């Protein structure tokens, strides 16, 4: 398997055709997986915003005050309002905002970015990243697209690449029913391939002003395995979320 960044892409602005820009910059093959950073997807889809677009309501002001008490730093209630409007559930209000986005991703601040935002104060995540991936895929000769983001993880330092949208592949490779090296049947193993591809792409894409937003994964083989459409855990089986809810409301 080979990974390489797509060179010489321009600064992405609202209205840009990402598929056309990628197609013009690299010769793709049918089996390639094209990993696209959510930042450029959001920029192309006009998801930049200003803090003044989010006049703070009472709850946002309360959250900002609570965060300031915890961190010792002044917090802009307009940013809290933006997070609330981009979320369907707030799991934690302090010491940081942990929320679920409209499309099921749980992360800090609803994934709103305050860097790489030349056209506004904020860059919001794509509204429906899998639909974004499908639109990009429709304009490429490659048949698999993953929209990536970076986020932290419980119990570990640092950020890693994760998949927030995909098209042309299932997010999970299902090993259940297969055998391990000792002949025992696997009964729970579902490998999150979409996240693994996103993490691998992030190693090549880099960070900061030297980062490149599109990475091609070539010669990735799915193998003779089943597929799983599961990616974001449902609340009923997400015991960590349930524990956070109980802790947050005590």
């Amino acid at each position: 398997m080979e990974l390489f960044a797509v060179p010489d892409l321009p600064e992405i602005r609202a209205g840009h055709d990402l598929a056309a820009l990628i197609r013009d910059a690299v010769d793709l093959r049918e089996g390639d997986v094209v990993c696209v950073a959510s930042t450029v997807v959001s920029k192309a889809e006009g998801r930049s915003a200003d803090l003044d677009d989010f006049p703070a309501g009472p709850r946002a002001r309360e959250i900002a005050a609570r965060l300031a008490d915890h961190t010792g730093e002044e917090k802009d209630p307009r940013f809290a309002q933006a997070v609330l409007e981009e979320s369907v559930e707030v799991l934690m209000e302090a010491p940081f905002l942990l929320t679920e986005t409209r499309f099921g991703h749980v992360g800090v601040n609803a994934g709103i970015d305050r860097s790489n935002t030349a056209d506004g104060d904020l860059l919001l995540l794509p509204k429906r990243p899998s639909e974004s991936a499908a639109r990009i895929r429709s304009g490429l000769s490659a048949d698999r697209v993953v929209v990536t983001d970076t986020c932290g993880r419980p119990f570990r330092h640092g950020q890693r690449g994760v998949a927030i949208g995909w098209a042309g592949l299932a997010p999970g490779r299902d090993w259940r029913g297969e055998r391990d090296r000792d002949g025992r049947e696997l009964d729970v193993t579902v490998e999150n391939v979409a996240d693994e591809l996103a993490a691998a792409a992030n190693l090549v894409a880099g960070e900061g002003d030297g980062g490149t937003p599109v990475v091609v994964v070539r010669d990735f083989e799915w193998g003779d395995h089943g597929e799983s459409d599961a990616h974001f855990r449902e609340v009923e089986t997400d015991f960590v979320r349930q524990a956070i809810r109980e802790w947050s409301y005590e």
Side-chain angles (χ1 to χ4, degrees):
M1 188 173 76
E2 175 189 4
L3 292 91
F4 58 90
V6 175
D8 303 325
L9 290 172
E11 183 66 28
I12 304 301
R13 303 293 186 191
H16 275 171
D17 185 337
L18 276 177
L21 292 171
I22 296 168
R23 191 173 62 241
D24 291 343
V26 64
D27 293 326
L28 294 171
R29 300 175 185 174
E30 184 177 347
D32 289 343
V33 183
V34 180
C35 297
V36 187
S38 63
T39 51
V40 293
V41 177
S42 291
K43 288 179 178 181
E45 294 179 354
R47 293 283 283 161
S48 296
D50 292 320
L51 283 166
D52 287 341
D53 297 332
F54 300 96
R59 189 181 182 196
R61 291 194 293 270
E62 180 183 335
I63 289 172
R66 184 176 297 123
L67 287 168
D69 287 342
H70 273 271
T71 64
E73 299 177 359
E74 195 70 22
K75 300 296 180 181
D76 194 323
R78 296 173 298 174
F79 182 76
Q81 184 66 40
V83 174
L84 290 176
E85 293 188 22
E86 287 296 303
S87 305
V88 296
E89 182 182 4
V90 177
L91 279 73
M92 289 173 53
E93 294 184 0
F96 53 84
L97 270 169
L98 182 70
T99 75
E100 180 188 356
T101 66
R102 296 187 188 97
F103 58 88
H105 176 62
V106 174
V108 176
N109 295 334
I112 296 175
D113 201 343
R114 301 189 75 169
S115 59
N116 297 311
T117 56
D119 295 329
D121 300 319
L122 310 174
L123 188 63
L124 315 178
L125 287 177
K127 285 186 176 181
R128 290 173 286 275
S130 287
E131 292 183 15
S132 302
R135 284 194 295 272
I136 296 169
R137 178 191 177 215
S138 69
L140 299 177
S141 54
D143 54 11
R144 298 179 286 187
V145 172
V146 176
V147 176
T148 72
D149 194 23
T150 55
C151 66
R153 299 156 296 158
F155 317 116
R156 296 179 185 271
H157 287 290
Q159 285 71 44
R160 60 163 290 172
V162 296
I164 61 170
W166 54 89
L169 77 166
R173 183 157 54 184
D174 196 340
W175 292 79
R176 291 172 296 183
E178 300 188 38
R179 302 283 176 176
D180 68 12
R181 296 177 68 170
D182 296 317
R184 298 185 184 89
E185 183 173 325
L186 302 173
D187 57 5
V188 297
T189 303
V190 178
E191 180 185 7
N192 195 313
V193 170
D195 273 350
E196 290 178 326
L197 291 170
N202 196 59
L203 283 173
V204 177
E207 299 284 355
D209 61 1
T212 50
V214 180
V215 171
V216 176
V217 183
R218 180 157 290 168
D219 296 328
F220 166 71
E221 297 292 340
W222 186 270
D224 187 19
H225 308 285
E227 298 180 349
S228 171
D229 291 327
H231 187 69
F232 302 116
R233 284 191 182 275
E234 298 178 354
V235 175
E236 294 77 12
T237 59
D238 192 341
F239 302 119
V240 173
R241 184 189 303 206
Q242 293 174 26
I244 290 173
R245 280 176 168 177
E246 294 175 6
W247 171 73
S248 297
Y249 295 124
E250 285 181 354

